């Protein structure tokens, strides 16, 4: 999981927008820069010549920036310091849960004809495209609530990535100027990613497609346009048709952690020589892993685990890199890859994560939030997202129950709360 703005040249987004709301992503209020209405308008005056040089008409610039106000919450999100980093096993527990697999399978059926046409045109399979859709916007249901000009103008005038966000602001204004969307429709994440595929405005300009042929590239209301655009993105990112993203592997008992890394690529034969075998213990073959060179991904290491019990290991190839480019985070890439595999009917990873307290699905997170609320905790909306309020409540309950106080909610806490849910809340 990445929490910093990336140099977003080749990525869809500036930020791991899909992570918003997962544990660890809640903001701890820091010293976010402030921006007054006057500051913002003065900044817009300064930016006007640049915007016009970037192809925004004077009339459009005025129309879409004259009445905007600063959006302080985006600056907090830009600068937040996560209280703790979400471990990959918790991240995957919420992003690739049974609910999303079932929803994804339903979407594969509903949009079968479109997805077949998308695969035909771009060479990217239906399961991968639907997995991106499901993780990015929960299949179009969660596209964000920020009006883009306001959010992007704030980020263009304050904070630590102003130059980048100026480019995105101008792109958003060009999109509005082109009549692609009514201003009130162009809403998205705090960082300006929008639509069912959460494209940044500049990505929209480069790579969005009108797949349903109605004359508009409508990533907001057209699933076909969104699916086609995702496939087009992956194709441009180097997707190889009919090649697997990678495969779970088994490492020898003694293995050098220095060999681990997505970009430390080696041919299959080199991995075989190092003792890496298929998860069933058989020799690896190109028919399973695909062609090319592979990096070894061991996501548990980044979450604090250590060899030899760091959890599942994967050899990942070029298609994993294409997914990674969508949102520069290896956990994100693994979520997409694994969800696609689950949509193909495959099961969970065979190597267990090195934890004895499994992470919670969204259904379980909602149940946990209801149990916390029933005990008198203010957890905000029951949304399955476990933000800062939920974590405070989790700590309080862990203290009360004599558990280790971590703020992390796993199956053990849920089980304890279920047991005690009939007892009166201690307030
Ligand atoms: Ca269209």
């Amino acid at each position: 999981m990445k929490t910093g703005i990336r140099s977003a040249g080749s990525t869809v987004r500036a930020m791991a927008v899909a992570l918003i709301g997962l544990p660890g992503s809640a903001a701890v209020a820091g010293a976010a820069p402030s921006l007054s209405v006057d500051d913002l308008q003065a900044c817009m005056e300064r930016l006007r010549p640049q915007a016009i040089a970037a192809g925004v008409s004077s009339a459009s610039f005025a129309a879409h920036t004259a009445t905007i106000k600063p959006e302080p919450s985006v600056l907090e999100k830009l600068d937040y310091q996560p209280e703790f980093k979400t471990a990959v096993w918790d991240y995957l527990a919420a992003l690739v849960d049974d609910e999303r697999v079932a929803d994804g399978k339903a979407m594969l059926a509903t949009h079968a004809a479109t997805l077949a046409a998308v695969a035909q045109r771009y060479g990217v399979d239906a399961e991968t495209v639907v997995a991106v859709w499901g993780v990015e916007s929960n299949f179009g249901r969660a596209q964000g609530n920020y009006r883009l000009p306001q959010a992007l103008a704030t980020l263009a005038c304050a904070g630590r990535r102003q130059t980048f966000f100026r480019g995105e602001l101008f792109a958003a204004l060009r999109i509005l100027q082109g009549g692609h969307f009514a201003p009130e429709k162009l809403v998205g994440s705090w960082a300006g990613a929008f639509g069912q595929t959460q494209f940044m405005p500049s990505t929209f300009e480069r790579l969005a497609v009108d797949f349903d042929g109605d004359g508009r590239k409508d990533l907001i209301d057209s699933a076909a346009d969104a699916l086609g655009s995702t496939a087009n993105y992956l194709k441009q990112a180097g997707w190889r048709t009919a090649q697997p993203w990678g495969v779970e592997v088994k490492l020898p008992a003694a293995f050098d952690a220095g060999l681990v890394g997505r970009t430390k690529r080696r041919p299959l034969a080199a991995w075989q020589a190092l003792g890496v075998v298929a998860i069933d213990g058989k020799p690896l073959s190109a028919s399973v892993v695909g062609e090319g060179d592979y990096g070894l991904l061991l996501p548990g290491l980044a979450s604090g685990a250590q060899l030899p019990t760091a959890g599942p290991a994967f050899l990942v190839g070029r298609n994993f890199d294409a997914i990674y480019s969508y949102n520069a985070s290896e956990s994100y890439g693994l979520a997409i890859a694994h969800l696609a595999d689950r949509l193909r009917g495959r099961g969970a990873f065979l190597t267990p994560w090195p934890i004895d307290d499994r992470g919670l699905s969204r259904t379980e997170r909602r149940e946990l939030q209801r149990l916390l609320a029933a005990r008198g905790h203010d957890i905000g909306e029951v949304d399955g997202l476990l933000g800062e309020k939920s974590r405070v409540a989790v700590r309080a309950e862990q203290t009360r129950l004599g558990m280790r106080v971590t703020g992390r909610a796993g199956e053990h806490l849920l089980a304890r709360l279920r047991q005690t849910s009939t007892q009166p809340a201690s307030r």
Side-chain angles (χ1 to χ4, degrees):
M1 148 189 283
K2 299 293 192 277
T3 55
I5 295 288
R6 321 298 300 168
S7 62
S10 64
T11 59
V12 168
R13 297 206 295 290
M15 188 82 179
V17 178
L19 308 188
I20 288 173
L22 289 171
S25 71
V28 172
S34 62
L35 187 71
S36 71
V37 175
D38 287 348
D39 291 340
L40 183 64
Q41 284 305 326
C43 176
M44 287 298 106
E45 278 309 306
R46 288 198 304 278
L47 293 185
R48 180 194 302 272
Q50 288 178 44
I52 288 166
V56 180
S57 74
S58 187
S60 263
F61 188 83
H64 299 298
T65 65
T67 61
I68 56 174
K69 296 186 175 67
E71 185 70 73
S73 64
V74 304
L75 296 175
E76 286 167 17
K77 288 183 166 150
L78 179 69
D79 272 348
Y80 80 80
Q81 295 297 315
E83 183 184 10
F84 61 90
K85 195 171 168 178
T86 302
V88 62
W89 40 84
D90 287 340
Y91 177 79
L92 290 171
L95 277 182
V96 189
D97 58 13
D98 290 345
E99 185 182 352
R100 204 171 323 258
V101 172
D103 285 351
K105 285 181 176 172
M107 293 298 172
L108 282 171
T110 302
H111 298 276
T114 299
L115 289 161
V118 165
Q120 177 73 27
R121 189 180 304 178
Y122 302 106
V124 184
D125 61 279
E127 289 84 1
T128 299
V129 172
V130 167
V132 172
W133 189 27
V135 168
E136 288 295 333
S137 68
N138 200 19
F139 310 102
R141 295 166 193 147
Q143 299 187 28
N145 299 310
Y146 287 94
R147 287 180 77 141
L148 259 53
Q150 185 145 308
L152 289 170
T154 302
L155 293 163
C157 293
R160 58 193 170 79
R161 284 300 304 273
Q162 296 179 34
T163 305
F164 167 75
F165 284 113
R166 279 172 198 172
E168 295 301 328
L169 171 65
F170 301 158
L173 296 176
R174 287 192 299 266
I175 289 167
L176 289 170
Q177 180 175 313
H180 295 283
F181 301 101
E184 65 275 12
K185 284 292 288 187
L186 192 60
V187 296
S189 79
W190 67 269
F194 72 98
Q196 303 193 25
T197 48
Q198 296 284 286
F199 275 19
M200 290 299 285
S202 63
T203 308
F204 173 90
E205 291 187 312
R206 281 190 301 125
L207 294 170
V209 299
D210 170 25
F211 197 77
D212 62 16
D214 71 348
R216 293 181 58 221
K217 299 172 184 177
D218 185 359
L219 300 191
I220 295 173
D221 285 327
S222 166
D225 287 3
L227 297 170
S229 297
T230 291
N232 186 41
Y233 183 96
L234 291 171
K235 181 185 178 191
Q236 300 300 326
W239 189 266
R240 289 186 179 176
T241 303
Q243 293 284 317
W245 59 269
V247 68
E248 187 182 352
V249 295
K250 196 170 166 187
L251 305 180
F255 194 80
D256 176 6
L259 298 170
V260 176
R262 185 180 56 88
T263 58
K264 296 179 182 174
R265 295 183 177 86
R266 286 180 165 74
L268 193 55
W271 290 117
Q272 288 169 326
L274 287 163
V276 178
V277 295
I279 194 65
D280 61 4
K282 293 179 182 163
L284 287 163
S285 78
S287 66
V288 178
V289 188
E291 297 159 3
D293 290 349
Y294 291 84
L296 179 67
L297 208 64
L298 206 59
L301 291 183
S303 298
Q306 294 192 338
L307 287 171
T309 55
F314 309 90
L315 283 188
V316 297
R318 185 160 168 163
N319 283 353
F320 188 88
D321 290 341
I323 298 169
Y324 176 87
S325 79
Y326 211 98
N327 182 3
S329 151
E330 288 174 358
S331 295
Y332 172 89
L334 191 60
I336 300 293
H338 185 45
L339 178 55
D341 275 355
R342 294 286 305 275
L343 294 176
R344 295 179 187 111
R346 295 182 196 153
F349 302 134
L350 290 173
T351 309
W353 294 111
I355 50 171
D356 70 351
D357 185 16
R358 178 180 61 76
L360 302 178
S361 69
R362 287 171 295 161
T363 303
E364 291 168 327
R365 287 170 193 222
R366 289 190 290 268
E367 181 185 359
L368 177 85
Q369 287 179 314
R370 282 191 291 272
L371 290 168
L372 291 171
R375 294 204 63 86
H377 297 288
D378 170 17
I379 51 89
E381 192 185 343
V382 174
D383 55 9
L385 295 180
L386 300 190
E388 184 60 22
K389 285 180 171 176
S390 292
R391 254 201 320 280
V392 168
V394 164
R395 285 179 181 281
E397 289 301 309
Q398 286 172 328
T399 303
R400 182 181 68 85
L401 294 165
M403 301 174 73
R404 200 158 70 87
V405 180
T406 61
R408 171 189 181 257
E411 63 175 334
H412 293 172
L413 178 64
L414 179 59
R416 293 290 298 276
L417 288 174
R418 281 171 178 159
Q419 286 167 9
T420 60
S421 66
T422 51
Q423 297 166 13
S426 54
R427 304 186 66 157

